[in-house]
């Protein structure tokens, strides 16, 4: 039966600046995408009531937007704070990590990214958005690949840097602090969800879960 619920455009679009470098254009599009994709992950996991989200349309796909200002601002500020580092190719992975009550990771959604620093041509925004759109579609039907989480779990956004930005030259760097999160001692089980590889941008989305040995020892 067709779903006739109304949708409105997603309002998280960042301003495009004139005379941006190709890397700046790619980073801007990617940061917008990550805000929507991370919200989709949190919605998918069902740790908040469905009423905490509202339907929006982004890249011609129906997505979810957080209603609660603090939740929305946390996601927005976290990913927008990464913009300068993504543009410079410093960010290797962005993770949405879910923890149990012992603060041990139970599941990670990983966005592994590579912004080509030598790409100097015009960025075909429509082509890039078409590729990213497929990630949102795939993500929306990926629940069967994920772990059922306890109701009292918590989550956070984590970034893994190839090299750390200089705090003295970037206010955004001050947002990111080393984590004391417990780490898995064994290599995780990896479940691919979607990947793309274009000249300006490479992106992989996959799940990480603790290995069976890790679960037994934990």
């Amino acid at each position: 039966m067709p779903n006739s619920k109304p949708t409105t455009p997603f309002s998280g679009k960042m301003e495009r600046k004139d005379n941006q470098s190709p890397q700046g254009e790619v980073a801007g599009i990617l940061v917008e995408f990550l805000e929507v994709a991370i919200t989709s992950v949190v919605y998918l996991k069902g740790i908040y009531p469905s009423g905490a989200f509202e339907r929006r349309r982004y890249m011609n796909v129906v997505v979810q937007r957080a209603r609660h200002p603090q939740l929305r601002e946390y996601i927005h500020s976290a990913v927008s704070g990464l913009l300068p580092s993504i543009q410079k190719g410093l960010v290797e992975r962005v993770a949405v990590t879910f923890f149990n009550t012992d603060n041990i990771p139970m599941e990670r959604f990983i966005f592994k990214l590579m912004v080509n620093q030598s790409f100097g041509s015009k960025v075909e925004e429509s082509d890039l958005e078409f590729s990213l759109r497929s990630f949102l579609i795939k993500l929306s039907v990926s629940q069967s690949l994920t772990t059922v989480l306890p109701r009292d779990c918590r989550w956070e956004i984590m970034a893994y840097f190839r090299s750390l930005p200089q705090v003295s030259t970037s206010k955004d760097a001050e947002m990111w602090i080393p984590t004391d999160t417990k780490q898995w001692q064994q290599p995780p089980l990896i479940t691919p969800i979607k990947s793309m590889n274009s000249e300006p941008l490479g992106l992989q989305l996959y799940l990480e879960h603790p290995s069976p040995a890790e679960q037994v020892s934990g």
Side-chain angles (χ1 to χ4, degrees):
M1 183 175 176
N3 195 326
S4 58
K5 289 184 181 178
T7 59
T8 54
F10 191 86
S11 58
K13 287 244 175 205
M14 298 179 67
E15 265 187 57
R16 298 277 193 263
K17 295 179 181 177
D18 294 331
N19 303 318
Q20 268 190 325
S21 68
Q23 289 73 26
E25 286 186 69
V26 171
I29 294 169
L30 184 56
V31 162
E32 285 178 4
F33 162 79
L34 285 172
E35 182 174 350
V36 177
I38 289 172
T39 305
S40 298
V41 167
V42 176
Y43 174 80
L44 182 76
K45 295 307 299 177
I47 58 177
Y48 300 110
S50 59
F53 300 86
E54 56 191 1
R55 291 158 60 92
R56 287 287 188 267
R57 187 167 288 277
Y58 177 75
M59 293 183 179
N60 206 30
V61 179
V62 175
V63 297
Q64 300 293 328
R65 179 175 181 266
R67 288 178 180 269
H68 196 286
Q70 286 183 317
L71 175 57
R72 192 165 63 240
E73 177 58 25
Y74 169 62
I75 297 172
H76 174 75
S77 62
V79 295
S80 61
L82 288 172
L83 177 60
S85 298
I86 289 175
Q87 181 175 337
K88 294 171 186 173
L90 299 178
V91 179
E92 181 186 21
R93 289 170 289 159
V94 177
V96 185
T97 305
F98 296 88
F99 302 87
N100 64 15
T101 52
D102 295 322
N103 207 33
I104 296 172
M106 298 180 64
E107 183 170 65
R108 288 195 186 105
F109 286 75
I110 304 286
F111 297 85
K112 186 175 182 179
L113 45 108
M114 172 66 78
V115 175
N116 186 347
Q117 295 300 296
S118 62
F119 183 76
S121 305
K122 182 180 184 296
V123 175
E124 297 296 338
E125 188 173 329
S126 59
D127 291 347
L128 197 54
E129 289 190 349
F130 181 80
S131 297
L132 292 174
R133 176 179 180 269
S134 64
F135 281 78
L136 297 173
I137 294 170
K138 187 73 173 177
L139 191 55
S140 68
V141 294
S142 297
Q143 189 163 14
S144 63
L145 303 175
T146 70
T147 297
V148 177
L149 299 175
R151 298 187 65 84
D152 52 359
C153 72
R154 69 173 191 87
W155 67 280
E156 65 183 34
I157 299 169
M158 306 172 73
Y160 297 80
F161 290 81
R162 292 184 176 89
S163 59
L164 290 174
Q166 294 298 316
V167 175
S168 59
T169 58
S170 173
K171 289 182 180 179
D172 298 302
E174 297 173 7
M175 290 181 55
W176 294 90
I177 59 174
T179 180
D180 58 358
T181 297
K182 295 177 183 176
Q183 302 296 326
W184 295 321
Q185 301 303 309
Q186 303 290 330
L189 301 176
I190 294 176
T191 305
I193 295 178
K194 186 69 180 172
S195 65
M196 64 169 281
N197 192 16
S198 66
E199 283 193 74
L201 174 66
L203 180 64
Q204 297 176 38
L205 170 59
Y206 56 90
L207 280 165
E208 287 185 350
H209 293 111
S211 69
E214 191 90 37
Q215 294 176 38
V216 169
S217 63

